[in-house]
Amino acid sequence: MDPHADHEQRDNGTPTESQDPPLRMTRQQILTLISMASVNFSSMICYSILGPFFPNEAVKKGASQTVIGLIFGCYAVCNLIGSLILGRYIVQIGAKFMLVAGLFVSSVCTIVFGLLDRVPAGPAFITLCFIVRSIDAVGFAAAMTSTFAMTAKIFPNNVATVLGSLEIFTGLGLIMGPPVGGWFYQSFGYEVPFMLLGCFLLIMVPFNVYVLPTIDAYPSKDSFFRLLAQVKIVLMCFVIFTLSAGLGFLDATLSLFAIERFSLSFGYVGIIMLGLSLPYCLATPVIGYFTDKYPATRSWFMVTGGVATAFGFCLLGPVPFLHIPSQLWLLILMLGVIGFSLGMTAIPTFPEIITCAYKQGFEEGLSTLGMVSGLFGAVWSMGMFYGPIVGGLITQHLNFEWAAAVQGGLAFLAAFLLAVFYACQRPQQHSIREDSRQTDEGTPLLNE
């Protein structure tokens, strides 16, 4: 059977939830998985190489801690806008074209960003950083929005499992980015890391043109406003926001804190960041498989993960009122707790939002999946904007310890609100089941 025809049939035919999961993946699905994995890996490694050395390089060029936070934050703002617009019009643009074009834009911007060390220090350097990062963010939004939507479309019965498996490559990108970037920067200077990784990303463009299927679909009349009318979806969006805010905060501040407090080199800072990405990489496929097999556990994973994230951030500094001295082993341990808890919380949210949207009557197809992907990317970007800027301001006016505690408080608040919602929802569901049971018992056994 033609995979393209199969995609079109799924978009216009019977709901995907009612279909039995295939016993074996088709050749098209395997190639698509390889393609999505390459996108996740190459995009994230290009994104994460900045952490160990760019803040220090920006300081040399005359940027303050607040300006560095704004450079990281502008990426998130443009990613937010791009995710919403591209997610809404993914059907009209075409998922495959959007992904390939996004990869090409990101690769060019990565290479150009590597040339910014030749720009004079001061306003010229800072302005070009903002421009290149903003364009790169739109390309990244296009690639990741289409990746999420196509994954959910092609693997409708195993969304969390596939996303969890793909997050291995996201984690590998996050793992390899800081140490590779820090080592290349320390050995060869500022330009080499960006040149190598930008060219690697560019090679992925023709590969994805050949591998990815074309998915035909029809635009939907549904909107983001209807999607956000559900309290449950709003709360899950807040959870996503707190996760990305924490990551954005660490991107902009952790390297400077580790260098000042523990007198580490850039290479060792990159290795420390493995404490965050490695547990995340190991946790996501297991959590994805488990939450697909037992969907009822998604709520508990999200709540428990949020509480664990809050605990990790409060002890990352640690928070001053605990009167615990900063120690390198404690920092690495808490990064591991945060990385694992991020996997617990992030993986169940995407399939849970899709399920909630379908229950509210949204059409099953690429248009709805594109909106959910765009919403996920936009909320994630809001956190990535908030985290570096607010975290940078608190770090500059107070210290890293208090800034980390604020991030932990946000994560705990999101987990608490979600737990309250589920606790209030359970009696309502029990009441509905009781009413349904009474109605069934009162129905005559024989009808005319």
Side-chain angles (χ1 to χ4, degrees), residues 236-255:
M236 285 190 288
C237 286
F238 184 45
V239 170
I240 297 167
F241 169 82
T242 61
L243 299 180
S244 60
L247 285 178
F249 161 74
L250 292 176
D251 281 340
T253 59
L254 180 62
S255 62

Side-chain angles (χ1 to χ4, degrees), residues 141-365:
M144 297 311 295
T145 299
S146 53
T147 296
F148 275 102
M150 292 180 72
T151 300
K153 177 63 185 171
I154 297 172
F155 303 93
N157 301 293
N158 308 100
V159 177
T161 302
V162 174
L163 285 180
S165 300
L166 290 177
E167 286 302 301
I168 294 176
F169 298 93
T170 300
L172 285 175
L174 290 172
I175 287 171
M176 294 181 64
V180 169
W183 185 79
F184 273 112
Y185 172 77
Q186 196 169 356
S187 302
F188 303 104
Y190 178 83
E191 296 181 2
V192 173
F194 295 101
M195 294 297 172
L196 289 177
L197 296 178
C199 291
F200 176 75
L201 194 63
L202 196 60
I203 295 173
M204 293 295 104
V205 173
F207 172 76
N208 284 279
V209 170
Y210 173 74
V211 166
L212 286 176
T214 301
I215 300 178
D216 298 321
Y218 296 100
S220 171
K221 296 181 180 179
D222 293 313
S223 65
F224 286 108
F225 297 104
R226 187 185 167 203
L227 200 61
L228 289 172
Q230 309 302 317
V231 177
K232 183 178 180 180
I233 292 180
V234 172
L235 289 176
M236 285 190 288
C237 286
F238 184 45
V239 170
I240 297 167
F241 169 82
T242 61
L243 299 180
S244 60
L247 285 178
F249 161 74
L250 292 176
D251 281 340
T253 59
L254 180 62
S255 62
L256 292 177
F257 172 74
I259 291 170
E260 293 173 3
R261 182 61 56 88
F262 304 110
S263 302
L264 300 176
S265 65
F266 298 107
Y268 280 111
V269 171
I271 294 175
I272 284 177
M273 290 184 173
L274 291 178
L276 177 69
S277 50
L278 187 58
Y280 177 81
C281 179
L282 296 175
T284 49
V286 178
I287 293 169
Y289 174 79
F290 194 84
T291 54
D292 262 342
K293 192 171 184 179
Y294 306 102
T297 62
R298 291 173 185 166
S299 58
W300 298 108
F301 272 109
M302 287 186 286
V303 173
T304 306
V307 174
T309 302
F311 174 79
F313 271 108
C314 286
L315 289 181
L316 190 65
V319 63
F321 61 76
L322 294 178
H323 302 291
I324 300 175
S326 296
Q327 300 182 58
L328 184 59
W329 69 266
L330 182 62
L331 177 71
I332 297 173
L333 178 62
M334 289 303 106
L335 284 175
V337 171
I338 294 170
F340 189 86
S341 60
L342 285 177
M344 290 179 63
T345 311
I347 293 300
T349 53
F350 187 73
E352 192 71 3
I353 293 176
I354 292 175
T355 301
C356 187
Y358 286 160
K359 285 182 179 179
Q360 298 304 319
F362 279 73
E363 298 177 9
E364 297 197 25

Side-chain angles (χ1 to χ4, degrees), residues 122-144:
F125 173 80
I126 294 172
T127 302
L128 285 175
C129 282
F130 278 113
I131 294 173
V132 176
R133 288 285 286 174
S134 299
I135 299 174
D136 190 15
V138 176
F140 185 81
M144 297 311 295

Side-chain angles (χ1 to χ4, degrees), residues 76-98:
V77 170
C78 295
N79 201 316
L80 185 156
I81 298 172
S83 296
L84 289 176
I85 296 175
L86 296 171
R88 181 65 182 86
Y89 295 102
I90 188 172
V91 174
Q92 291 87 339
I93 298 172
K96 178 177 179 178
F97 175 80
M98 184 186 295

Side-chain angles (χ1 to χ4, degrees), residues 70-118:
L70 287 172
I71 292 173
F72 280 92
C74 79
Y75 184 94
V77 170
C78 295
N79 201 316
L80 185 156
I81 298 172
S83 296
L84 289 176
I85 296 175
L86 296 171
R88 181 65 182 86
Y89 295 102
I90 188 172
V91 174
Q92 291 87 339
I93 298 172
K96 178 177 179 178
F97 175 80
M98 184 186 295
L99 191 150
V100 172
L103 275 179
F104 178 76
V105 171
S106 292
S107 63
V108 173
C109 288
T110 301
I111 294 172
V112 172
F113 202 83
L115 300 174
L116 293 185
D117 66 321
R118 304 184 182 187

